[in-house]
Amino acid sequence: FSTHTCHLLTFKVAKLFGDVKEIHKFCVSPEGGYMTQAATNNMLNILIVSDASGETAERMVRSALAQFADAPTQISRRGQIRAADDVRRVVQDAAAQRALIVHTLVSDELRRLMLEETRLRDVDAMDLMGPMLDRLASRLNVTPLEQPGLFKQLAEARSREVEAVEFAFYHDDGQ
């Protein structure tokens, strides 16, 4: 099975005799191949956790997974994690799945809680944002704003500025 990621699909099949339902799980690759649940037992579940959309962490994870072409993985994203209860719930879910958590939480308080909760529940977790924020804060001698989704907001604002300049340029009557 040669794909770096796959998606689990669950099919319920009614037996011919009776109302008993069996659940069959298949790992379906983007290329159309599949493997049964027995082959997915060694699958690594990766839970992307973010206080925004999770796109940044997912790109990093997929980039790293490209180096492991035959490794079966399942990637799930949990965005908009902005409260302590959200963090606890995600860690509890990860513990049940025996998943690796990869997170990009900008709030120092939520990152500390994530560390405490993952240690408490013996969940493997990787903080992609904290070390970068800490290093930049140290080198810049400035405290981070800790505002979720700020990069996207700034990119959208910049895009609107460019569009406004282009509009003015194309509609300039020369006066």
Side-chain angles (χ1 to χ4, degrees):
F1 197 75
S2 59
T3 182
H4 8 251
T5 61
C6 57
H7 306 283
L8 282 180
L9 299 177
T10 303
F11 299 96
K12 291 184 179 177
V13 180
K15 286 189 171 183
L16 285 173
F17 303 104
D19 293 331
V20 178
K21 296 188 186 278
E22 294 180 5
I23 297 176
H24 300 277
K25 290 188 178 179
F26 298 90
C27 182
V28 180
S29 76
E31 296 83 18
Y34 70 93
M35 62 183 162
T36 63
Q37 180 64 37
T40 64
N41 286 340
N42 292 328
M43 180 175 299
L44 174 61
N45 292 317
I46 302 172
L47 192 53
I48 307 292
V49 178
S50 176
D51 45 23
S53 69
E55 289 177 41
T56 301
E58 185 170 350
R59 279 194 204 118
M60 280 226 16
V61 167
R62 290 190 184 279
S63 179
L65 284 173
Q67 302 299 317
F68 303 92
D70 292 328
T73 61
Q74 179 182 5
I75 297 173
S76 304
R77 248 199 291 184
R78 300 280 180 87
Q80 305 302 318
I81 303 300
R82 297 184 179 181
D85 286 342
D86 296 337
V87 170
R88 288 185 189 97
R89 194 171 16 261
V90 165
V91 173
Q92 189 173 15
D93 291 348
Q97 299 174 32
R98 300 195 43 79
L100 165 64
I101 292 179
V102 178
H103 65 91
T104 54
L105 301 170
V106 295
S107 163
D108 190 50
E109 179 183 335
L110 290 182
R111 285 195 316 274
R112 286 183 186 167
L113 179 61
M114 177 68 77
L115 181 61
E116 290 171 17
E117 290 294 315
T118 55
R119 285 181 175 169
L120 181 68
R121 289 178 170 57
D122 196 29
V123 173
D124 193 6
M126 178 176 273
D127 179 359
L128 296 182
M129 189 62 75
M132 178 66 74
L133 291 174
D134 291 345
R135 180 71 52 93
L136 289 172
S138 172
R139 297 295 303 266
L140 296 170
N141 203 23
V142 176
T143 303
L145 297 173
E146 296 186 11
Q147 293 178 8
L150 192 55
F151 178 77
K152 185 175 182 178
Q153 293 171 20
L154 294 173
E156 288 172 354
R158 178 69 177 137
S159 178
R160 286 191 299 274
E161 288 174 8
V162 169
E163 288 173 5
V165 169
E166 287 175 349
F167 179 85
F169 177 75
Y170 288 118
H171 294 85
D172 185 10
D173 61 3
Q175 293 182 11

